[in-house]
Amino acid sequence: MSMFKKIFGNNTPLSKKEIHSYLNESLDKEQKYNIEKKISANDFNADAIDGFSKDKDALKNVPSFNDFMSQKKGTNIPKQKK
């Protein structure tokens, strides 16, 4: 099982753009509803919204998921010992 699946299961993580739009209340009703479904389906998403709502400027320092993953390609991440 991939690390992505271990973290998110079958749920999709919120994108940086979705978090930004949600916190700045720049969504229509349908978009807001869809993001709120993602938030309620995944504790990681709920924690992200909670944390970034306390410090919206922190979101500026977070790379997009694709940028983050492209930086990690070829990086050997040691496996945790059991």
Side-chain angles (χ1 to χ4, degrees):
M1 178 182 289
S2 73
M3 182 61 72
F4 186 87
K5 278 276 194 190
K6 285 181 183 178
I7 295 171
F8 297 105
N10 292 324
N11 299 309
T12 305
L14 292 169
S15 69
K16 183 176 177 178
K17 182 179 178 181
E18 287 173 319
I19 294 169
H20 181 268
S21 297
Y22 183 81
L23 294 176
N24 289 307
E25 300 177 1
S26 58
L27 302 166
D28 63 34
K29 287 182 181 183
E30 183 177 351
Q31 291 170 320
K32 184 177 179 181
Y33 173 76
N34 288 331
I35 289 176
E36 287 174 344
K37 279 184 10 182
K38 283 185 175 183
I39 293 167
S40 65
N42 184 300
D43 290 339
F44 187 83
N45 288 338
D47 289 345
I49 291 294
D50 183 50
F52 288 120
S53 69
K54 294 174 184 169
D55 184 4
K56 293 179 186 177
D57 288 334
L59 191 59
K60 294 175 187 173
N61 299 320
V62 176
S64 71
F65 182 76
N66 289 338
D67 290 343
F68 176 77
M69 292 308 291
S70 67
Q71 291 172 359
K72 296 297 177 191
K73 279 189 177 179
T75 303
N76 292 328
I77 300 171
K79 294 189 178 197
Q80 292 181 352
K81 295 179 182 178
K82 291 185 180 182

